[in-house]
Amino acid sequence: MSDHSLILGLESRLMNAWPSFDYQAYDGWILRIASGYTKRANSATPVMPGASLDEALVDHMILRFLDANVRPTFRLTGLQAPEVDAMLKARGFTEIEPTFVLTAPIAGDCETDPEVTIEPQVSKQWVREAAQSYGGAKADDATLIQIVSRIRQKVAFATLNLDDRPVAWGLGVAERGHVGLYDIVVAPDLRGIGLGRRVVSSLMAWGCREGAHTVYLQVREENEIARALYEAFGFKPAYRYTHRVMPGGAAE
């Protein structure tokens, strides 16, 4: 789970698949800003093995985050230098939301569920319905549509309909033999009956048709239900990342 080439390959695809509005490069780190919508689009991430930090660089990046009214956040993927985590901890940055990046081979089943609609372009309806089902901080459909509209790879916006009612959604992004799965969400009143599984299967089938041999996604370590679902599909951990966030300050 610590192969640097594997991490770099997946992290580059992740950044392309989930664009931010502003990117700044700092000595082996990419700082991304997207109005605070999701930590992966609003954090500083190492993009080279052994990426280090010093006090002046941390101070500089904190100011960039605060200027954008975004909580200063560092995503630690295993590419950073060994001392980085302890340095951020000593400065009061709190560790939150450890997350696994999981991968699985695509076995060659390219048939999508007949009740899952796949669209190559985003629609306001897809964004509105998916954001409403997420709720909380991810209910911001205005920012979500800005992010997904910036994707330059091939995309699949999936919707599962039951009796003409949209009940589950998901996003697939294909790039260089991989398909990434994002925003898999089910209507709150219909969770736990396998609808998310149908969306995942259809997006993997779409990726198969696009020539992908591997599927990847991210899931929080604490989300044991989702992890069990993905394990049933053959997903295994590729690497683990965590976040170090500055207490107080700008909004998450």
Side-chain angles (χ1 to χ4, degrees):
M1 291 177 58
S2 60
D3 185 313
H4 288 166
S5 62
L6 173 65
I7 297 173
L8 281 169
L10 289 171
E11 283 291 312
S12 64
R13 290 174 173 88
L14 184 152
M15 288 189 185
N16 292 337
W18 198 254
S20 295
F21 306 157
D22 183 28
Y23 296 77
Q24 299 175 37
Y26 299 110
D27 301 341
W29 295 79
I30 295 290
L31 187 153
R32 307 205 300 153
I33 299 291
S35 299
Y37 190 92
T38 71
K39 290 181 180 62
R40 60 179 175 265
N42 294 271
S43 53
T45 300
V47 291
M48 60 176 287
S52 62
L53 291 172
D54 58 31
E55 300 291 345
L57 182 54
V58 172
D59 289 341
H60 183 81
M61 288 198 275
I62 286 173
L63 289 176
R64 298 289 73 76
F65 280 117
L66 295 179
D67 285 346
N69 196 34
V70 170
R71 187 179 187 180
T73 302
F74 291 82
R75 281 180 72 248
L76 304 183
T77 64
L79 289 177
Q80 73 279 353
E83 68 274 8
V84 165
D85 185 58
M87 175 190 181
L88 292 171
K89 180 179 179 180
R91 290 191 56 145
F93 280 74
T94 303
E95 183 178 22
I96 64 169
E97 296 178 13
T99 300
F100 284 111
V101 177
L102 308 179
T103 62
I106 294 179
D109 181 2
C110 299
E111 294 298 321
T112 58
D113 188 313
E115 292 184 299
V116 175
T117 302
I118 302 286
E119 297 292 343
Q121 294 181 329
V122 68
S123 67
K124 291 182 179 179
Q125 179 182 0
W126 186 94
V127 169
R128 182 178 64 255
E129 292 170 348
Q132 286 175 350
S133 289
Y134 260 118
K138 296 189 75 173
D140 181 2
D141 57 340
T143 303
L144 176 58
I145 198 167
Q146 289 185 66
I147 289 175
V148 298
S149 296
R150 284 171 162 78
I151 302 171
R152 296 296 176 258
Q153 284 67 35
K154 285 189 175 182
V155 294
F157 294 91
T159 305
L160 171 60
N161 294 279
L162 295 182
D163 298 326
D164 296 323
R165 176 194 170 187
V167 295
W169 302 262
L171 168 64
V173 183
E175 182 189 349
R176 294 177 290 147
H178 290 62
V179 58
L181 305 187
Y182 297 84
D183 275 12
I184 307 297
V185 61
V186 175
D189 60 321
L190 292 172
R191 291 174 182 168
I193 59 173
L195 302 183
R197 175 186 293 271
R198 294 173 65 180
V199 173
V200 169
S201 293
S202 290
L203 287 172
M204 290 175 67
W206 171 81
C208 173
R209 295 201 303 271
E210 294 297 328
H213 53 72
T214 301
V215 58
Y216 71 91
L217 54 79
Q218 301 161 90
V219 61
R220 288 189 188 177
E221 187 175 67
E222 67 187 19
N223 193 342
E224 295 182 358
I225 294 175
R227 288 172 58 192
L229 165 66
Y230 296 133
E231 286 174 8
F233 276 101
F235 281 89
K236 297 184 182 301
Y239 60 99
R240 177 183 182 272
Y241 68 82
T242 190
H243 306 82
R244 285 281 180 186
V245 299
M246 191 175 79
E252 273 192 66

